[in-house]
Amino acid sequence: MSLWWKTSAALSCLALLCGAAIAGLWAADRAYPPPLDKAKTVSAEVLDADGQLLRAFATPEGRWRLKTTAKDVDPQFIRMLVAYEDQRFWQHGGVDPWALMRAAWQFASHGRIVSGASTLSMQVARLIEPREGRSFTAKLRQLARAIQIERRLSKAEILDLYLTHAPYGGNLEGIRAASLAYFGKEPRRLTVSEAALLVALPQLPEKRRPDRHLKAAETARQRVLERMAVSSVIGEGEAERAASVAVPDRRLQLPTFAAHVAEAALRRQPKAVQHQTTLRRSIQKGLETVAKDAAAKLGPKVSIAMVMADAHTGEIVGELGSADYFDASRSGWIDMTRVSRSPGSTLKPFIYGLAFEEGLVSQETIIEDRPADFFGYRPRNFDMTYQGDVSIRQALQLSLNVPAVRLLDAVGPSRMMMRFRRADVRPILPPNEAPGLAIGLGGLGINLKDLVQLYAALTNRGKPMRLGDGIQDQPGQIEGEPLLDPTATWQIADILSGVLPPAGAVQRGIAYKTGTSYGYRDAWSVGFDGRYVLGVWVGRPDNGAVPGLTGYGTAAPILFEGFAKSGVAITPLPRAPAGAVRIAQSELPISQRRFSLTSSGLVSATVREAAPQIVYPPEGARVELGVDTAGTPMPLILKLQGGRAPFRWLANGRPLAETSRRRINQWVPDGTGYSTLTVIDAVGRAASVRVFLN
């Protein structure tokens, strides 16, 4: 046999053997693919309308592993990572032969491992398929897996896997979780110091955790900054400046905003990785801060719920169902935005709106605030006093009960309930009861979200707007008839914008109404500007009474603080539509100067009233003035009956500071001896008494 035939046969055998080897490797690759499916398990994320993280949920094994791509990370970090970990990452096929030879030579020369040869692809292989120990067999398997991964994924996809799965100590995995935990921010804008620390930690994540081993973390960061390859990326001067920056010594909590909305989103789509909401993180953060601070002042068991919506779109931009989701003492897990409770006086504006719409009253129409009996129903004011004659504007601003019931009796409770249905709101009535006059004072159930949905129509010129749920439900305008006509809604907004802010609050250009349910169980406040509506509920989730809890004193300050901390710019209230004006009482038509309802219907009438009479102190009384603990004289209480409010008091011919609508007043005398007290009512009638003060 000639040499040529022998050579040909040898080459053929070699080719067959190579082909068989390649076929065997291909078959093995198909039979034992890398477990890339395991890499798909990441933390579920709930995002705000702009894509910012509101809350993340740990993986089933308890890891914080947030899906990350290179576009989510500062480009300088990527350059530093590749320069430090795998300089030829973009060129090799999973294994770097030059790095392997360098590591082998260093091991042979020093008798120990001086530097590793692991590429980023090999590290990804180890992360998705952890090895039990550092053995030669495990390293060979890692090499093979790296080659398999390179065959299936692009370099960009491999880099994304590393950014998502790299360990950073404890249960932190991936650069996003680490950046949020150590720096409190997303990794899109990292400083050189921060980037260097995040490059260094994955090599020995437990031994270099800055919250436990600060010195080791500082040393590891310095090693990264000093590496020649990295220095060429950032510059020596920048490395020196970065080395002087302190390493964070504590781990921060990952964002936990909008807990109830996040839980609802996860229940709806448990397999989804990302859940988009209509909330805005800046608004949500501000509202949660306000609620937590206010709850701390209110004491245990009291919770707070808030809903803020964009009345133009119907989107919920901020929502919290409790002051603190994780506070068991306040039953924080209960979402109080969806629980029906008595709304107190918060529905009164809609009673007045119907009366305006029907032309029954104007803002300056006089209405009586006196004890009244409506077929056995006898409403009383919150403070158990009565103001006499007041204007419609004053009656709503003071939230007087009797005038509201008088108007509801005229427009009809059933009619108001039908208007609520136009806004897709259906309050809950007591079982087997038809709508009665008590609904005007809170005698029904409604939740905070529905209450905000009703008020959204007031800033939307009467057009009802369906609010979304912050997750999936599509908000938008409700087709059909308006809740109230534009003129009526302007009249209501004009009145409510004139209500004085609570003590210590700054007038912010918002219109608002408060309410307190029977027995001090619920305090409400709902306010709006030209775009946003914010509703506040305060109370106990178990429906227990809270002594001293009121809408004006408790919920209203939270409302004003909520608007301030939300960060939204106040939008002016809508302008008056054509024909909407505030007319002086003297210019009103006769039929609208006074509201009274008789058996013959609505009529204008002059009610005969008794002249004012001072009942305390009585004529000729000798009154001994007391002093308080500081030695300051105690005020003298003044009481009267009859007359028409407002009242002007005079003491020894000098008027007191201001007129008053109350029939109880007080005066601090400037000395002892005889004094003359006089009261003058709105129509000029007067009464006087002469008393002696000791």
Side-chain angles (χ1 to χ4, degrees), residues 468-528:
D469 63 356
I471 310 168
Q472 286 182 329
D473 287 357
Q474 293 300 315
Q477 187 173 315
I478 300 173
E479 299 298 329
E481 297 180 275
L483 177 63
L484 292 169
D485 69 37
T487 300
T489 57
W490 178 84
Q491 298 283 3
I492 295 302
D494 185 58
I495 293 173
L496 296 182
S497 64
V499 179
L500 292 175
V506 178
Q507 177 58 267
R508 300 188 57 82
I510 63 174
Y512 79 106
K513 183 72 183 75
T514 62
T516 308
S517 68
Y518 177 77
Y520 301 97
R521 288 177 169 82
D522 310 274
W524 305 79
S525 186
V526 188
F528 57 92

Side-chain angles (χ1 to χ4, degrees), residues 208-342:
R208 296 177 177 177
R209 285 180 58 174
D211 58 328
R212 293 186 178 180
H213 308 287
L214 183 61
K215 289 296 183 182
E218 291 175 343
T219 302
R221 184 190 67 173
Q222 186 64 27
R223 187 177 297 115
V224 171
L225 293 172
E226 291 174 351
R227 177 73 67 87
M228 185 177 299
V230 176
S231 296
S232 65
V233 172
I234 61 176
E236 293 184 5
E238 188 65 33
E240 292 176 359
R241 284 191 292 271
S244 65
V245 178
V247 171
D249 59 358
R250 62 192 181 96
R251 173 174 162 176
L252 306 175
Q253 184 180 22
L254 267 63
T256 55
F257 299 116
H260 291 96
V261 174
E263 292 281 358
L266 198 64
R267 286 194 299 270
R268 290 193 178 191
Q269 292 182 305
K271 295 183 179 180
V273 174
Q274 289 189 337
H275 305 265
Q276 191 80 32
T277 71
T278 61
L279 306 183
R280 297 183 194 169
R281 178 166 159 166
S282 58
I283 293 176
Q284 185 70 27
K285 182 178 180 180
L287 296 182
E288 291 191 15
T289 299
V290 170
K292 187 167 291 189
D293 292 346
K297 297 175 183 177
L298 292 171
K301 299 185 179 180
V302 178
S303 192
I304 297 170
M306 303 172 77
V307 173
M308 192 173 200
D310 186 331
H312 292 177
T313 64
E315 294 178 341
I316 292 179
V317 296
E319 178 180 319
L320 53 114
S322 64
D324 186 348
Y325 181 87
F326 302 100
D327 190 343
S329 68
R330 305 179 196 276
S331 301
W333 61 86
I334 300 178
D335 184 357
M336 294 305 298
T337 67
R338 302 298 194 270
V339 177
S340 292
R341 303 292 280 263
S342 167

Side-chain angles (χ1 to χ4, degrees), residues 157 185 227 306 356 414 430 495 501 530 532 566 598 649:
E157 290 173 322
K185 67 179 185 180
R227 177 73 67 87
M306 303 172 77
F356 282 125
S414 296
I495 293 173
Y532 294 101
S566 69
T598 66
W649 284 89

